[in-house]
Amino acid sequence: MKRIYLDNNATTPIHHEVLEEMLPYLRDEFGNPSSIHWAGRKPRKAIDDAREKTAKLLNCDVSEIIFTSCGSEGDNLAIKGIAESKRDKGNHIITTKVEHPAVLSTCKYLAKTGYDVTFLDVDSQGMLDLNQIKKAITSKTILITIMFANNETGVMFPIAEIGRITKERNIAFHTDAVHGAGKVPIDVKKMNIDLLTISGHKLYAPKGVGALYVKRGVRLVPVIHGGHQERNRRGGTENTAGIVALGKACEIAVRDMEAEIKQITALRDRLEKGLMEKISHVRRNGHPTQRIPNTLNLSFEYAEGESLLLNLDMKGIAASSGSACTSGTLEPSHVLVAMGVPLEASHSSVRFSLGRGNTAEDIDYVIEALPAMVERMRSMSPLYSTITGKGTDLKFSESSCSH
Ligand SMILES: *Cc1c(COP(=O)(O)O)cnc(C)c1O
């Protein structure tokens, strides 16, 4: 069976150059990078090199990179670290309703421990209103944490404009750039970003490694207390192989970004156009242009997203839906809910997230396969038959939540 992977926002395969680069540190170069003897020397040098490559992707200094165990840790360290270090200055944090759970849950946790958190709304295209941010700022605001690009819709927020506001008001600005890094150019200096999270496995490096950029001079209380690693900001013996991998992945991203943006945007648009032409009642969730190149979120109204995913899977196509199937009930995506997407449409949403490995043939295969699936599912929808005048066919009874 064909295997077509269109779920790169969930995780990416490890790039072969990345794997080659990291392997020696899982084999012979096992030393502790903090050791002063021969065994530690090469791992230490490799970490230094990786830090340089990571810094280059973001345009920051090597001293401003903290390696972490994942994107979630980076988000936790940024948010809790700032919240705690600025506690005497204020207790107000601003974020949005559409953040990744790593940010959203951390903010909700802080809200339970005496912090005051504002969760900003987005509009129907998933965009933020800058005036709303300005209005939310108070004398107690210590941190604004707003994601670079949304993992579900791909919508990019106006990060440079937010950076201008936070700089002017002297408020720390963190952005979860897990889906910006490597996909579009990022310059933390030009964009006035104080803290920025990236994750290895969304960037063709393995799971279990990430990095947090922290602007020089920004003070942070550690989340993991321990040894002197990462300039006392993150205890724990370094994940040498993972860090080397992340560095290599950043280097490749810098090298290939321009070509990849062109290639992946063209494939994404081919998919969007192809599906829109062949299937009626499709809505795109998210801003048409303000989005990262690889992400497409569509609602196939009167069809059910989870069932579509199972059908796609049977054809070897991996994608993702906007709602999670938990114990028989469908929880609509918090991102689509915040955008005001009607419940029915959010249950029929599918996220296609493209990556380096995809080809035009992959895309055409999906465009060929999907219309019949949607049509079959719609033939069972009484609502759809009312609208189109087609009869319902209840012979197929597919339940998405039986798995
Ligand atoms: C995946 C993801 C994270 C978490 O990264 P992990 O390395 O899996 O912990 C954080 N934010 C966004 C936007 C993500 O997509």
Side-chain angles (χ1 to χ4, degrees):
M1 187 178 66
K2 259 192 184 323
R3 300 213 325 167
I4 295 174
Y5 190 71
L6 295 174
D7 202 10
N8 287 271
N9 286 10
T11 196
T12 55
I14 300 177
H15 192 287
H16 64 96
E17 289 177 53
V18 169
L19 182 65
E20 286 309 314
E21 192 94 352
M22 74 186 285
L23 279 178
Y25 301 92
L26 295 170
R27 288 191 183 125
D28 307 325
E29 302 297 341
F30 63 90
N32 188 320
S34 298
S35 297
I36 55 163
H37 50 66
W38 57 268
R41 248 166 254 147
K42 225 175 153 191
R44 167 55 52 205
K45 169 81 168 57
I47 290 175
D48 290 346
D49 289 349
R51 204 182 299 278
E52 216 161 280
K53 291 168 183 169
T54 307
K56 207 163 175 192
L57 179 67
L58 307 173
N59 190 31
C60 67
D61 191 78
V62 286
S63 65
E64 297 174 312
I65 294 290
I66 301 175
F67 288 117
T68 61
S69 69
C70 60
S72 302
E73 186 194 325
D75 287 340
N76 272 263
L77 176 56
I79 297 166
K80 291 177 187 162
I82 290 290
E84 224 180 305
S85 85
K86 289 188 184 273
R87 190 67 175 93
D88 55 336
K89 291 209 179 70
N91 70 337
H92 182 226
I93 297 167
I94 298 172
T95 187
T96 77
K97 289 184 178 168
V98 298
E99 300 295 312
H100 185 274
V103 167
L104 219 45
S105 315
T106 306
C107 287
K108 284 179 183 163
Y109 162 74
L110 288 176
K112 278 195 279 184
T113 63
Y115 290 86
D116 181 17
V117 185
T118 301
F119 297 91
L120 298 171
D121 287 311
V122 294
D123 67 17
S124 61
Q125 296 194 313
M127 293 297 287
L128 265 177
D129 174 11
L130 291 171
N131 284 322
Q132 206 199 342
I133 301 178
K134 286 184 195 159
K135 269 193 238 155
I137 295 172
T138 73
S139 59
K140 295 231 169 77
T141 308
I142 49 173
L143 171 69
I144 295 187
T145 172
I146 290 179
M147 72 201 313
F148 198 100
N150 190 277
N151 44 300
E152 291 188 28
T153 59
V155 170
M156 287 196 288
F157 282 149
I159 293 300
E161 283 83 349
I162 300 169
R164 227 169 284 141
I165 297 170
T166 53
K167 190 185 179 197
E168 206 172 273
R169 318 270 174 119
N170 200 21
I171 297 165
F173 176 32
H174 167 247
T175 184
D176 175 333
V178 168
H179 289 292
K183 294 193 175 93
V184 289
I186 296 182
D187 184 325
V188 290
K189 289 206 179 83
K190 269 199 199 134
M191 295 173 160
N192 289 307
I193 298 165
D194 298 314
L195 306 108
L196 179 146
T197 305
I198 68 173
S199 167
H201 76 100
K202 308 283 173 78
L203 191 65
Y204 307 94
K207 292 148 195 73
V209 67
L212 179 68
Y213 149 80
V214 184
K215 188 182 174 179
R216 194 176 306 145
V218 171
R219 289 196 42 242
L220 203 67
V221 174
V223 168
I224 300 182
H225 296 270
H228 298 302
Q229 293 91 354
E230 301 301 293
R231 295 169 173 248
N232 294 315
R233 293 171 299 181
R234 200 261 182 192
T237 303
E238 297 89 337
N239 169 9
T240 310
I243 290 169
V244 166
L246 180 60
K248 186 66 186 178
C250 290
E251 184 183 56
I252 294 170
V254 171
R255 185 189 74 196
D256 296 347
M257 191 182 297
E258 218 182 284
E260 238 159 52
I261 289 175
K262 280 202 195 102
Q263 183 205 331
I264 293 180
T265 305
L267 291 178
R268 193 264 319 268
D269 293 348
R270 183 188 186 104
L271 180 62
E272 176 168 340
K273 193 162 162 278
L275 293 177
M276 291 266 198
E277 275 172 8
K278 284 199 156 191
I279 307 172
S280 65
H281 299 92
V282 182
R283 66 179 275 163
R284 184 189 47 241
N285 298 309
H287 196 281
T289 57
Q290 289 302 305
R291 55 180 168 154
I292 43 175
N294 80 319
T295 308
L296 175 62
N297 190 312
L298 296 176
S299 285
F300 301 93
E301 299 189 44
Y302 316 105
E304 210 265 305
E306 291 271 314
S307 308
L308 282 176
L309 289 187
L310 296 179
N311 280 270
L312 285 167
D313 185 29
M314 283 191 272
K315 292 259 181 196
I317 302 163
S320 165
S321 83
S323 45
C325 179
T326 30
S327 59
T329 58
L330 279 174
E331 236 0 273
S333 140
H334 70 286
V335 175
L336 299 184
V337 167
M339 287 163 64
V341 174
L343 222 59
E344 208 279 328
S346 88
H347 283 317
S348 66
S349 73
V350 175
R351 176 188 73 185
F352 302 97
S353 48
L354 284 68
R356 271 178 199 155
N358 296 131
T359 62
E361 290 77 60
D362 289 354
I363 298 306
D364 293 344
Y365 179 78
V366 179
I367 297 170
E368 267 310 300
L370 193 55
M373 295 177 198
V374 174
E375 194 47 48
R376 192 153 51 91
M377 237 165 275
R378 282 177 177 172
S379 69
M380 297 177 283
S381 157
L383 199 57
Y384 184 67
S385 62
T386 318
I387 283 164
T388 60
K390 290 181 188 168
T392 39
D393 179 355
L394 294 170
K395 272 185 301 204
F396 306 91
S397 78
E398 288 176 62
S399 163
S400 63
C401 282
S402 52
H403 59 293

